[in-house]
Amino acid sequence: MSAKIRRRRTVARHGQLRTPGPIGQVLKIIAVAMSVVLVSGLGVAAFVASDLLNTATAGAVELDGQKPVPPDLGEYEGGFDLLLVGTDNCEEKYAHLFGDRCTGPDSGGTLNDVNILMHVSEEPRRITAVSFPRDLMLPIPECTRPDGSTTYAMSKQPLNSAYMDAGLNCVASTITELTGQDIEFAASVTFGGVIEITDAIGGVDVCLANPIKDPHTGLDMKAGTHTIKGLEALQFLRTRHGVGDGSDLGRIGNQQQYMSSLARKLISGEVLGNVPVMLRLAHTALSNLEASTSLTNPTTLVQIGLAVKDVPFEDIVFLQYPTYEDPDDVNKVVPDYESATTMWDAINANRQLQVTHQNTANDGVVIEDQTSTETGGETTTPTPTDTATPSDDGVEALPDNIKGNSAAQQTCSNGNVRQ
């Protein structure tokens, strides 16, 4: 019989505390899918992916309730979900870059500080990536550790303690319990990946509406458009003191700007049309990957890539899970279940989503322009609403406390200068 193991207390790192969270390098999983699409078109996908996945299969994680992957992903009624987790463990190669996070009193344990659930709908394909705040206070279920021992279920703990408690499977179980979404695929990646992935694709373009100078990460950037890679990309994705109100919620918005730009670059011919770049991308991603067993089949990666490669930019939407301030701790947040239910109902009904939230000075980004980067056509600035109202044309306006943007919108960092 497996022993119960009590959870350790974690350091609260929401709001204005010093230690930055991890980076948006979880997006490399999307890059893997895209890269395999190109390779498959050349007829060598299975060989290349099998070779690269040798490093991932040995430590593959079995998700609770995981079912066999069907031969055709189209058999998933309503689409499928992919959980992307970024952990803040300190790899020896990069630990010297992270200061107190890797050497100070806050260096113990490995936390899941980036948590994104990517839903890929059935036809017509749409992609919705929902980011969950790391300090979201919620129930965490009983979880099985890799060694077979189990943890106690907890009624209220920060989301970013789930990985330290019982690994990737526990994060997936926690998100499933919160959202009701079945998670077919999951993967986690570590701190240093953003340096390698942005180098592999030649950088990602980001826009700054205002300068950012953040001494906590060392980021110092002028207003304007920049191509970031390597350490600078890492600093950009870690910064929270340098954007919006300095909170993790503002950082999520800033990271979503990076995600939008990365999605546009991956889908463009600039990356998908360049075989050496795609092979470097696949190798870099998979060499840093911890995956569920459902993701270790090269054919599955090819199918995921094929499922998402032609999705229009306006149907690739990045959202923040809706929250309230925790009445017990101003540095924490709690779920807004009513707005979240509306959001998931719209996602599962495969409706086109309209973000109605109007960004303020507290948000990590501003909408720079409302012009679609794909079609060149103008879009209409949404009218805020407190409730989602389905329309006859299949578009659903989300509650105005749900922040986000589509990949068709150009967002810019709402930077500030911190002393």
Side-chain angles (χ1 to χ4, degrees), residues 65-139:
Q66 185 169 294
K67 300 176 182 178
V69 178
D72 183 355
L73 296 187
E75 295 181 28
Y76 283 124
E77 185 177 351
F80 57 89
D81 291 271
L82 171 60
L83 176 66
L84 310 173
V85 175
T87 59
D88 68 351
N89 53 317
C90 297
E91 302 116 310
E92 183 177 353
K93 181 179 179 181
Y94 298 109
H96 67 283
L97 299 175
F98 305 142
D100 289 346
R101 171 61 195 98
C102 294
T103 59
D106 197 17
S107 60
T110 298
L111 307 178
N112 50 298
D113 275 353
V114 173
N115 305 273
I116 301 172
L117 187 59
M118 187 175 79
H119 179 80
V120 181
S121 74
E122 58 188 0
E123 299 289 349
R125 294 290 190 190
R126 294 187 172 98
I127 301 171
T128 310
V130 180
S131 294
F132 300 83
R134 62 183 185 175
D135 289 323
L136 176 64
M137 301 298 289
L138 76 175

Side-chain angles (χ1 to χ4, degrees), residues 212-258:
I212 295 177
K213 188 172 184 179
D214 179 8
H216 299 279
T217 61
L219 184 64
D220 188 354
M221 297 177 68
K222 297 179 180 180
T225 301
H226 304 260
T227 300
I228 58 173
K229 59 182 179 178
L231 177 59
E232 188 175 41
L234 172 68
Q235 294 168 327
F236 179 84
L237 289 165
R238 293 180 71 202
T239 187
R240 78 163 182 269
H241 298 282
V243 293
D245 61 359
S247 73
D248 185 53
L249 302 182
R251 173 169 48 194
I252 288 175
N254 195 53
Q255 290 175 341
Q256 289 179 335
Q257 181 207 165
Y258 176 93

Side-chain angles (χ1 to χ4, degrees), residues 9 12 14 135-138 155-158 324-335:
R9 292 178 61 85
H14 182 75
D135 289 323
L136 176 64
M137 301 298 289
L138 76 175
S155 61
K156 189 178 181 182
Q157 288 289 302
Y324 296 118
E325 183 180 288
D326 187 346
D328 299 324
D329 186 344
V330 296
N331 288 318
K332 304 288 188 180
V333 292
V334 293

Side-chain angles (χ1 to χ4, degrees), residues 264-294:
R264 291 191 293 267
K265 183 164 187 175
L266 289 174
I267 293 174
S268 72
E270 181 181 353
V271 174
L272 287 181
N274 190 320
V275 175
V277 169
M278 298 313 299
L279 292 178
R280 286 199 305 272
L281 198 57
H283 186 274
T284 299
L286 289 169
S287 63
N288 292 284
L289 176 67
E290 176 192 30
S292 61
T293 55
S294 55

